Structures are given as structure tokens and as C-alpha cells.
Amino acid sequence: MIQGDLVAAIRRLKVLHEGEIEVAGPELAHSLTELGLVDEYRLYLHPVVLGRGKPFFAGPRPPLRLVASDRIGEQVIRLTYVPV
């Protein structure tokens, strides 16, 4: 759990940890997007239909560019986007 300055905490994590930092959830993704702290989005498509739920982009969708798509197993596709 991060308390205090979210921007400083995420920037500190980026300096201290080599490699990827993964987060999940629409509220956290929205907060990090608004602060310009997301380097890449990875969306996993599963063949499931849901009747309700929270949208991943809680506010307006940021401008994104698709940079990769690949199949994971028999039924999942990963789409990788970067902010424009």
C-alpha cells in the first residue's frame, strides 16, 4: 500500500526496481494514467461475456498506439499499447 505522494512513490519504484512493475484495476490505472506514469498497457482478451463491471479506463481513454499483439495459450490474446 502506498501512502503519501503517489508520484514520488512510483518514480522511486522505477529507480529501485529493474524490469517491469505491474499494476491492475481501473481506479489505479486511471490515477497512474492521469499522472503520466504508465509506460505501457497490456490488455488480455478472454472469450467471456460479462453483463456489468467497471470499465478499465475510468475516465476518457488516453490516446494509445498498438505496438504488439500475441496469442497466449489457446484462448487469450494480449494487446500491448503505449501512450501517444
Side-chain angles (χ1 to χ4, degrees), residues 24-30 43 50-61:
E27 289 90 6
L28 180 56
H30 179 70
L43 306 178
L50 301 174
R52 54 170 43 177
K54 292 184 179 183
F56 185 77
F57 296 103
R61 186 180 65 82

Side-chain angles (χ1 to χ4, degrees), residues 1 3 5-6 10-12 21 25 27 39 50-51 53 55-56 58-59 64-66 74-76 82-83:
M1 181 175 192
Q3 294 180 346
D5 186 355
L6 179 61
I10 297 298
R11 288 195 174 130
R12 187 170 45 254
I21 301 170
E27 289 90 6
D39 298 322
L50 301 174
F56 185 77
L64 302 172
R65 181 171 50 91
L66 180 65
E74 291 293 317
Q75 297 184 13
V76 179
V82 295

Side-chain angles (χ1 to χ4, degrees), residues 13-75:
L13 283 173
K14 285 183 168 189
V15 170
L16 294 175
H17 297 282
E18 196 172 311
E20 300 173 357
I21 301 170
E22 295 183 17
V23 299
E27 289 90 6
L28 180 56
H30 179 70
S31 297
L32 297 177
T33 297
E34 283 191 327
L35 296 169
L37 295 173
V38 176
D39 298 322
E40 182 176 273
Y41 297 89
R42 292 183 187 162
L43 306 178
Y44 295 82
L45 298 180
H46 298 264
V48 176
V49 177
L50 301 174
R52 54 170 43 177
K54 292 184 179 183
F56 185 77
F57 296 103
R61 186 180 65 82
L64 302 172
R65 181 171 50 91
L66 180 65
V67 294
S69 64
D70 53 312
R71 189 173 174 170
I72 300 174
E74 291 293 317
Q75 297 184 13

